[in-house]
């Protein structure tokens, strides 16, 4: 997807604020090819852990409702990796099975000087990196 720089900054700032715990949230997109990120919605990490994240199902449903009210769509779920590379863990791959077609954005802040934002499509066990292009 295309991501305005200020939304990338917002996700990195969220990751830094919650470190060493992982942060999480969702990204609303306007449909198109490629989709364009329009808003970032931070969510609470119910697991409050440096090793994994958990979004409360009701919170996600409420966020999706707000996103759809604005004529947008759920485009991505994002979370941070505070100790490892921004690549999906086995836990992430398992969790992604419940969200087909949604991009999986990982904000890597293990190197605080050089945050990395990567996006993936996860289909069963297969992980494909897709562009998270700053605009
Ligand atoms: Zn992860």
């Amino acid at each position: 997807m295309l991501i305005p720089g200020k939304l990338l900054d917002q996700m990195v700032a969220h990751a830094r604020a919650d470190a060493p715990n992982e942060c999480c949230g969702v990204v609303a997109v306007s449909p198109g090819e490629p989709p364009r990120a329009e808003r970032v919605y931070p969510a609470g990490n119910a697991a409050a852990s440096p090793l994994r994240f958990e979004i409360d199902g009701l919170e996600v449903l409420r966020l999706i409702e707000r996103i759809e009210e604005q004529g947008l769509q759920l485009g991505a779920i994002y979370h941070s990796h505070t100790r490892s590379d921004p690549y999906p863990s086995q836990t992430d791959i398992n969790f992604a099975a419940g969200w087909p077609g949604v991009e999986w954005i990982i904000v890597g802040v293990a190197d605080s000087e050089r945050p990395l934002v990567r996006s993936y499509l996860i289909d069963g066990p297969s992980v494909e990196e897709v562009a998270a292009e700053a605009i």
Side-chain angles (χ1 to χ4, degrees):
M1 67 176 62
L2 302 173
I3 308 182
K6 70 173 187 343
L7 297 187
L8 286 170
D9 292 347
Q10 195 184 337
M11 287 187 278
V12 170
H14 185 199
R16 285 180 164 147
D18 283 13
N21 287 347
E22 293 191 4
C23 74
C24 58
V26 303
V27 178
V29 297
S30 48
E33 235 358 281
R36 180 195 153 100
E38 301 290 351
R39 277 193 76 169
V40 166
Y41 295 86
N45 179 358
S49 160
L51 300 174
R52 65 195 184 89
F53 79 98
E54 213 176 280
I55 308 188
D56 176 69
L58 265 182
E59 187 171 9
V60 179
L61 289 179
R62 276 201 306 269
L63 288 171
I64 292 175
E65 206 168 283
R66 281 170 62 191
I67 289 167
E68 290 181 347
E69 272 167 14
Q70 296 174 61
L72 301 174
Q73 294 176 351
L74 175 67
I77 293 173
Y78 75 92
H79 73 289
S80 62
H81 281 185
T82 58
R83 298 180 176 186
S84 58
D85 291 337
Y87 190 81
S89 66
Q90 189 58 49
T91 310
D92 294 338
I93 292 169
N94 297 345
F95 186 87
W99 299 92
V102 173
E103 286 189 31
W104 199 259
I105 293 175
I106 303 180
V107 182
V109 290
D111 178 350
S112 57
E113 305 288 307
R114 281 181 59 250
L116 295 170
V117 179
R118 299 275 185 264
S119 191
Y120 304 89
L121 278 172
I122 301 176
D123 183 10
S126 100
V127 175
E128 178 199 356
E129 184 170 351
V130 294
E133 205 175 327
I135 52 171

